[in-house]
Amino acid sequence: MKLFEKIAKDLATLGILPALEGCGTVLCALSGGADSVVLLHFLNWYLPELEIGLAAAHLNHGIRGAAADADEAFCRGLCTALQIPFYSRRVDIPALAKEQGMGLEECARAERYAFLEQVRSGLSHGLTATAHNATDHLETVLFHLARGTGARGLCGISPIRDGKIIRPLLCCTGEEIRTFAAAEQISYVTDRTNDDTAYTRNYIRKNILPTLRQINPRCEDAALRMSRLVSEDVRCLEDAARRLLEQDGHIRRNCACSAPLPLLTRAILLLYKKYAGTAEDLSQKHLDDCTALIGSGRAGRISLPGEAALFVQGERIWIGANPAFVPSPAPKPASLSLGEAVVFGAFVVKVAEKKEQLVPSHQNIYNLSIYGALDFDKIKGSISIRARKAGDVYLSGGMHKKLRKLLQALKIPPHLRDTFPLLCDGDGILWVPGLRPRDGCGAEASTGRPVYAGVWHIGEKSAEKEGSQP
């Protein structure tokens, strides 16, 4: 059990040990692969002495058919043998990725983390543990480096994420973990897609890491050491940048012009993150445009993603809503009957018994058209249309998902999201155009009576009075 002792010893170095204080249960993300299975065994060995409970969760992506079902069965059997509570869910990732316009890996990752967070939030003082190891960390750093990363990208995989997710295996390489599993006769499953070099990370693992190890056999340790040093530098720079921000959320221009460029760009990132919730969409080009305006001595505005803008006026610099994208007021809710076409803000919505009956007579139809097939027998009461509300969720894939994130994934322009039509019935949101109908309400899996819904964008200027027939 030397590997387990090494992991336990390194928890303090990684900063994970303090995070475990006060934890009630650790939820292990269990795929069935070598890394996650060894992590489960380690946690089962380590946590009892801390009087912390253990559970496991597995998301069946449905990507590999029977093989994916076999992986789920293996994980369930392992947890039964170890008497560990087990949570699982099945999601059709290929269909969901196509529906939301996402790549398979991106969609699978988003669904996996959403499922883990749903389970974790139901546990008492829970933490989620994922099986990212030192080799994963090195692959991440190389991936970021190839894309032209800044210092934050060189930090790689953080041992703790958002105070909710821990990565105890970052001190171990993938080879160490597999060698340990073989020596201890620990069974695990193998995902054949891990050998597919069409995936960027697999290509790095198969073609780049072997060459890198010829230069430094301990390249994983070197990458971890580098990332820890860079992380300390980044924290120092961000603390200094935070001191540039005034209490009411702006930067004084004289302070901005005298600050070193690394501090100014980080201060802009902090402002944008405070406004938008994340700074992932802000590119180096956006930052360069902002710093150029600030340094020019002129007043002005720089458009930013998410319909935001950086404003420079007098001695004040701040980020707020871009006036070029002021959202239209949300239309009033409207009822919808079979065969009726209703103008709802910038959209026309129609429901008909046959798909060929959907085409509305409005003369200013734009190219956007979205269709859905509903099971009429599963609709509760009458159909209505409304705009989104704060806190809206949508039942899809067995999970209640935040509507705000779904509209972002559908790439609905921000200034249209408050007017985007949602079809509802007595049980809530029935259909979000662009997604599958609410679980259990799709006509494709029904023996009931199908009806068809269509949505068209007509543009705000050509829209007639809300609720009127076009």
Side-chain angles (χ1 to χ4, degrees), residues 112-251:
R112 181 167 62 251
Y113 274 108
F115 171 57
L116 291 172
E117 175 56 20
Q118 183 187 44
V119 177
R120 185 208 65 81
S121 62
L123 302 174
S124 175
H125 304 289
L127 286 175
T128 296
T130 65
H132 294 92
N133 59 50
T135 306
D136 297 324
H137 173 86
L138 175 56
E139 292 166 6
T140 298
V141 169
L142 291 173
F143 179 73
H144 289 165
L145 188 63
R147 298 180 67 183
T149 187
R152 175 60 70 181
L154 295 178
C155 295
I157 299 175
S158 173
I160 303 176
R161 173 183 162 185
D162 301 330
K164 301 175 183 178
I165 299 174
I166 58 175
R167 279 80 179 246
L169 300 188
L170 280 178
C171 63
C172 311
T173 67
E175 184 177 359
E176 281 182 290
I177 292 170
R178 289 188 296 274
T179 299
F180 173 81
E184 297 295 325
Q185 297 183 328
I186 295 175
S187 300
Y188 57 88
V189 298
T190 302
D191 185 346
R192 286 176 295 177
T193 62
N194 288 337
D195 294 323
D196 186 355
T197 54
Y199 295 102
T200 304
R201 289 183 179 274
N202 292 348
Y203 183 88
I204 292 172
R205 186 181 310 122
K206 295 289 184 181
N207 297 300
I208 297 177
L209 293 192
T211 302
L212 197 57
R213 290 192 181 100
Q214 292 179 12
I215 300 172
N216 182 1
R218 297 177 62 85
C219 53
E220 284 100 339
D221 290 342
L224 284 170
R225 186 167 60 252
M226 176 203 70
S227 292
R228 287 171 186 169
L229 293 172
V230 173
S231 295
E232 292 173 5
D233 292 345
V234 168
R235 279 194 294 270
C236 183
L237 287 168
E238 289 182 348
D239 287 343
R242 201 168 279 109
R243 290 194 286 272
L244 291 176
L245 273 60
E246 298 291 326
Q247 287 187 347
D248 64 350
H250 77 276
I251 306 173

Side-chain angles (χ1 to χ4, degrees), residues 222-444:
L224 284 170
R225 186 167 60 252
M226 176 203 70
S227 292
R228 287 171 186 169
L229 293 172
V230 173
S231 295
E232 292 173 5
D233 292 345
V234 168
R235 279 194 294 270
C236 183
L237 287 168
E238 289 182 348
D239 287 343
R242 201 168 279 109
R243 290 194 286 272
L244 291 176
L245 273 60
E246 298 291 326
Q247 287 187 347
D248 64 350
H250 77 276
I251 306 173
R252 290 185 177 275
R253 190 168 194 163
N254 61 341
C255 295
C257 291
S258 62
L261 188 60
L263 293 189
L264 178 55
T265 55
R266 282 173 170 79
I268 294 171
L269 284 166
L270 289 170
L271 281 180
Y272 184 78
K273 187 174 182 179
K274 183 178 180 181
Y275 175 80
T278 177
E280 291 180 0
D281 294 333
L282 214 58
S283 69
Q284 188 61 46
K285 176 65 166 57
H286 294 126
L287 292 171
D288 291 343
D289 290 344
C290 290
T291 55
L293 175 61
I294 292 169
S296 71
R298 296 181 290 104
R301 179 179 84 216
I302 299 296
S303 294
L304 300 174
E307 318 301 0
L310 177 130
F311 299 88
V312 180
Q313 186 173 348
E315 276 297 304
R316 288 172 55 87
I317 301 167
W318 74 97
I319 289 178
N322 192 331
F325 295 98
V326 176
S328 303
K332 295 179 181 178
S335 60
L336 187 63
S337 302
L338 281 177
E340 178 187 20
V342 172
V343 174
F344 188 81
F347 299 89
V348 172
V349 184
K350 186 175 183 179
V351 175
E353 293 186 77
K354 296 181 180 180
K355 189 173 181 179
E356 54 266 28
Q357 297 173 340
L358 280 180
V359 180
S361 59
H362 201 284
Q363 299 300 311
N364 295 304
I365 294 296
Y366 282 35
N367 289 330
L368 173 63
S369 58
I370 307 172
Y371 301 95
L374 308 171
D375 180 354
F376 188 81
D377 293 336
K378 298 293 179 63
I379 296 171
K380 305 298 183 182
S382 59
I383 304 176
S384 61
I385 321 168
R386 68 166 173 84
R388 67 174 178 172
K389 301 176 182 177
D392 267 343
V393 294
Y394 188 53
L395 182 59
S396 177
M399 298 175 64
H400 284 91
K401 302 177 182 179
K402 293 182 179 179
L403 180 66
R404 176 177 59 83
K405 292 187 176 181
L406 291 175
L407 293 181
Q408 289 174 353
L410 286 171
K411 296 182 171 39
I412 303 299
H415 67 288
L416 289 179
R417 290 174 191 167
D418 286 336
T419 65
F420 194 67
L422 306 173
L423 269 67
C424 302
D425 65 359
D427 281 350
I429 302 176
L430 172 67
W431 180 51
V432 177
L435 301 179
R436 287 177 293 181
R438 184 179 67 214
D439 283 0
C441 295
E444 65 277 0

